[in-house]
């Protein structure tokens, strides 16, 4: 068997793994990354990027259809048509450019990328079945960055007309009737896109409302929009099985049949911790996730874990931040996870951004809200639904959380996160000049409102 | 809620300014009405200035030792009432003119504290915020504290909402490590300290250097009386140039000696079996910091005069101490000087800064009786301890290099002469 050795070996080249590898390479560590599928992981290949491509295409189509149906803007056009096969090809082109880019960046950082499935032998040894035969790698530090895969439910095994997000992002035609099981962000993002492309969409959610991790105030504008798009939302409902053409659902009022050509199951994602020898290391777990400390160290010396395998929030940017941290820790830097905020964005329509604490998580604090209805830019974009909300300590004005729901608010996530990370107060934000006319002005206004001096309301 | 400036009161007798001698508060402190804020000194007495409000100190108007005009802002305080400017009221009896009688004993008996130590958050051991409350600071402040091994939970924040600013950190650096309490009685227990970060790096480097490099150390005593005279003269006439320590002279001596011994200014890549001799002299200057030993690099020492060397060393040491040194200021040395300053011992066994091949340690200077052939005379003596990589430097060369360094240091004019030494 061929043999290689290195200072740091990373299993998985998703956003956690590839960022860790690039940073390790920059720091001069002898680095190897092993990936069995394609560089970029879930995020670039079947997650964030393809879903946002589809959402964008659906929005363009929807706007065209909307314009064709008559509008106040004085634009005339005819009803659009979509060739989803071509849309998917366009999306694949973006994915290819990005994954190729990751490969180049890894090379530039002098990381050795090895294609193949990693099988852990022990905490310092990993075997890989490569195209050129088996390879054994010994390493001083091992990083588990194997990510997550879609959670299944026994009643609806993937295959045929039962889709996971992966298949839903590569359909070659828009299904006439689509049932989405799970009203979390992935189901709603894809469900909304499909509705905009003309599908008749029903969302089935077991909890009392969609996006149950947020409060009802934040999700209300999304609910209203879903209604306007003709999406049926069925809460307190449990999917029980699929018979061709029908999804069977248990509700409080008894079983119900929902007409559906395809069923998209998005009931969460499960960490990839089995089937490649990780079990044998006997690492400490928290539930089904790997337990890590504030330096992403697992319970075994020299073994780290980052990204979705380490639990919530399962987000690409958290995986990246952890990847950087581990590379620097291995390089001998004094470093630890001391972030105050991880932003979370829901690319529904309208979009939701949350950073820091929600009002219900800190009942003693004060809350201020500013609606997009008071923002000129929102009006010129034809979308003045939604609001920005700030949660703050009434005594010190310290900002504890910022949330927004509105069209295009995902781009405000950076400002929100910066405010929290810098420990900004309401005055810091209120006294920062925001450009006019932008949606961001609402952030300044909401801070001024908290200080009792909002101007445009 | 209002914010007020409390101003320096008129202490009577036509006194127009006072010297601030002591702070009783720092930003972030809460005070009650009538609590003492500060002590000021007129030319006759020390006077305590009380607070007019119950509230929180926002900022201080002056530093210890500064002269403050009557009417100037002493502190800014946030309190329950209406904001505005007020002047403190004090009870002084200007008629009594013996300082001992007017001075309040508590302040008069205390020495005037060093302003740096009296700065906010002077490394106090008690946490300035409740247990479990995370300190507030921007990522840059957090990174700087982390790199210097400072626990932000122990640092008071003077910024809005108690945010810790770069200035608060500066104060911690200026105050130096907090004094540990020494109580009587038997002590119990132990503490495990993980060797991480910079300490870990030092440990690794030392182990590497010591395990791979067979050291030979040569110790020599040097009569630096003439050099000290020269240094004193240069310092006397230096004007506003930085004060010269021994280091710039040692640096210049090394540069001079390396002209004859280029083999000492080199790196040894033992894997490749190649010694690389360097033309520029980049001197690593081993420096103690809070987090441990770091070695900032004095680049192109061969091109710097003594004063330029002194100010560059001061700049580098400060950057290293406050965790602000850049990466390239901490790497790329070709030979290293190490000094324990006034703690410098009689002799040391310096460990070579891998992959260099030589290191020069300076020991403590002391006046010792020396035999001049007829009698004992007091001379300023300083030992040097130099280590060499014995794989590539022979004992003979090591000894002759040290002998040359001795000759130069004992005859300082030769350091700066163009002729062959
Ligand atoms: C539809 C969808 C939309 C999403 N949208 C967003 C979004 O908008 N924003 C956001 O932040 N996050 C989003 N996410 C989540 C995001 O994709 C993940 O949080 C992120 O990819 C996690 O990164 P990771 O590096 O931990 O793992 P992954 O990206 O899952 O990468 C793990 C990699 O490890 C490889 N691997 C696993 N086991 C082995 C082995 N034994 N040997 C070799 N290789 C192995 C896998 O092939 C994979 O490439 C979305 C996810 C989905 C599914």
């Amino acid at each position: 068997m061929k043999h290689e050795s290195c200072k740091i070996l990373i299993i998985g080249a998703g956003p956690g793994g590839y960022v860790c590898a690039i940073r390790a390479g920059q720091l001069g560590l002898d680095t190897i990354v092993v990936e069995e599928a394609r560089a970029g992981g879930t995020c670039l290949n079947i997650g964030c990027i393809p879903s946002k491509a589809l959402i964008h295409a659906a929005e363009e189509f929807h706007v065209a259809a909307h314009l064709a149906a008559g509008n106040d803007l004085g634009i005339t056009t005819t009803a659009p048509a979509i060739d989803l096969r071509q849309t998917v090809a366009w999306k694949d082109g973006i994915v290819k450019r990005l994954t190729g880019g990751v490969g180049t960046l890894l090379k530039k950082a002098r990381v050795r990328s090895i294609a193949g499935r990693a099988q852990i032998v022990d905490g310092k040894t990993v075997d890989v079945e490569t195209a050129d035969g088996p390879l054994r790698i010994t390493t001083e530090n091992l990083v588990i960055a194997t990510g997550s895969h879609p959670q299944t439910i026994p009643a609806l095994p993937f295959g045929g007309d039962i889709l996971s997000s992966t298949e839903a992002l590569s359909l070659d035609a828009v299904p006439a009737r689509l049932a989405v099981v799970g009203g979390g962000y992935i189901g709603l993002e894809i469900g909304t896109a499909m509705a905009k492309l003309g599908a008749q969409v029903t969302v089935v959610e077991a909890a009392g409302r969609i996006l149950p991790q947020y409060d009802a105030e934040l999700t209300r504008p999304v609910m209203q929009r879903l209604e306007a798009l003709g999406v049926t939302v069925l809460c307190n409902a449990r999917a029980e099985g699929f018979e061709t053409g029908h999804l069977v659902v248990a509700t409080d009022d008894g079983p119900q049949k929902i007409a559906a050509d395809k069923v998209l199951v998005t009931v969460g994602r499960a960490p990839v911790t089995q089937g490649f020898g990780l079990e044998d290391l006997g690492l400490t777990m928290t539930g089904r996730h790997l337990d890590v400390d504030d330096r992403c160290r697992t319970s075994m010396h020299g073994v780290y874990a980052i990204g979705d395998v380490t639990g919530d929030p399962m987000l690409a940017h958290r995986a990246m931040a952890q990847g950087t941290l581990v590379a620097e820790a291995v390089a001998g830097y004094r470093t630890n996870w001391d972030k105050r905020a991880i932003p979370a964005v829901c690319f529904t329509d309208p979009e939701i951004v949350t950073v820091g604490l929600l009002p219900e998580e800190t009942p003693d604090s004060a809350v201020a809200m500013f609606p997009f209805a008071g923002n000129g830019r929102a009006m010129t974009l034809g979308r003045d639904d939604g609001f920005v909300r700030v949660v703050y300590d009434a005594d010190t004005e310290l900002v504890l959380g910022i949330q927004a729901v509105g069209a295009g608010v995902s781009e405000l996530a950076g400002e929100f996160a910066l405010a929290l990370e810098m420990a900004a107060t309401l005055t810091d934000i209120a006294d920062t000049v925001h450009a006019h006319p932008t949606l961001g002005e609402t952030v300044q206004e909401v801070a001024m409102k908290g200080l009792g001096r909002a101007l445009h309301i | 809620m209002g914010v007020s400036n409390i101003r320096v009161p008129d202490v009577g007798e036509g006194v127009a300014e006072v010297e601030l001698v002591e702070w009783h508060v720092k930003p972030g402190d809460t005070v009650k009405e009538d609590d003492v804020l500060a002590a000021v000194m007129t030319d006759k007495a020390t006077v305590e200035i009380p607070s007019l409000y119950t509230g929180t100190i926002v900022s201080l108007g002056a530093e210890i030792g500064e002269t403050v005009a009557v009417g100037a802002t002493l502190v800014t305080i946030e309190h329950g009432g209406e904001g505005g400017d007020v002047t403190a009221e004090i009870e002084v009896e200007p008629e009594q003119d013996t300082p001992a009688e007017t001075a309040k004993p508590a302040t008069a008996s205390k020495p005037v504290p060093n302003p740096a130590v009296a700065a906010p958050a002077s490394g106090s051991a008690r946490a300035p915020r409740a247990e479990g409350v995370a300190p507030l600071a921007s990522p840059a402040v957090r990174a700087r504290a982390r790199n210097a091994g400072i626990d932000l939970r122990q640092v008071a924040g003077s910024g809005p909402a108690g945010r810790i600013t770069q200035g608060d950190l500066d104060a911690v650096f200026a105050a130096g490590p907090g004094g540990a309490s020494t109580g009587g009685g038997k002590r119990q227990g132990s503490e495990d300290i993980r060797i991480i970060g910079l300490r870990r790096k030092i440990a690794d480097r030392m182990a590497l250097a010591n395990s791979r490099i067979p050291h030979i150390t040569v110790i020599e005593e040097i009569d630096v009386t003439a050099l000290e005279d020269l240094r004193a003269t240069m310092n006397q006439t230096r004007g506003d140039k930085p004060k010269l320590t021994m280091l710039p002279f040692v640096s210049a001596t090394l540069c001079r000696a390396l002209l004859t011994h280029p083999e000492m200014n080199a790196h040894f890549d033992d894997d490749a079996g190649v010694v690389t001799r360097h033309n520029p002299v980049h001197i690593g200057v081993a420096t103690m910091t809070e987090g441990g030993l770091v070695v900032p690099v004095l680049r192109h020492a061969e091109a710097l005069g003594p004063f330029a060397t002194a100010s560059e060393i001061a700049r580098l040491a400060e950057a290293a101490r406050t965790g602000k040194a850049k990466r390239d200021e901490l790497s790329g040395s070709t030979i290293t000087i190490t000094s324990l300053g006034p703690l410098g011992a009689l002799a040391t066994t310096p460990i070579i800064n891998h992959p260099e091949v030589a290191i020069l340690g300076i020991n403590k200077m002391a006046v010792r009786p020396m035999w001049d052939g007829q009698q004992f005379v007091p001379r300023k003596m300083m030992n040097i301890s130099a280590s060499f990589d014995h794989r590539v430097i022979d004992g003979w060369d090591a000894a002759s290099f040290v002998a040359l360094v001795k000759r130069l240091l004992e005859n300082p004019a030769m350091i700066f002469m163009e002729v062959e030494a």
Side-chain angles (χ1 to χ4, degrees), chain A residues 11-17 34-38 40-43 46-48 51-52 116-119 145-148 165 169 185-186 189-190 269 272 276 306-309 314-317 319 345 347:
Chain A
I11 305 182
V34 181
E35 169 60 57
E36 63 174 328
R38 273 158 303 163
T42 304
C43 171
I46 51 171
C48 326
S51 62
K52 268 83 254 181
R117 181 173 174 77
Q119 185 74 34
T146 47
S148 61
S165 57
L169 293 171
Y185 83 94
I186 295 180
E189 284 182 12
I190 300 176
R269 297 187 56 85
V272 175
F276 60 101
I306 55 177
D308 285 3
V309 277
M314 290 200 198
L315 292 171
H317 41 277
V345 180
F347 289 85

Side-chain angles (χ1 to χ4, degrees), chain A residues 265-298:
Chain A
V265 179
T266 53
V267 290
R269 297 187 56 85
V272 175
T273 52
Q274 276 164 7
F276 60 101
L278 185 64
E279 308 88 305
D280 299 337
L281 297 187
L283 303 181
T284 306
M285 309 289 287
T286 311
R288 47 188 198 162
H289 298 118
L290 284 171
D291 185 48
V292 289
D293 68 3
D294 68 348
R295 274 174 221 150
C296 291
R297 292 180 295 197
T298 67

Side-chain angles (χ1 to χ4, degrees), chain A residues 295 297 331-336 338-340 396 398 421-425 428, chain B residues 136-139 142 146-149 160-161 163 194 196-198 201 291 327:
Chain A
R295 274 174 221 150
R297 292 180 295 197
Y333 284 50
R334 226 189 256 255
T335 166
N336 65 322
D338 65 352
K339 309 288 183 215
R340 292 194 66 217
T396 63
L398 179 70
E421 213 55 61
M422 297 291 290
T425 62
D428 291 326
Chain B
L136 297 174
S138 73
R142 280 180 259 162
R146 194 164 53 226
N147 290 336
R163 189 162 67 203
R194 280 183 58 85
I196 53 168
L198 177 60
K201 265 199 169 152
R327 223 178 144 65

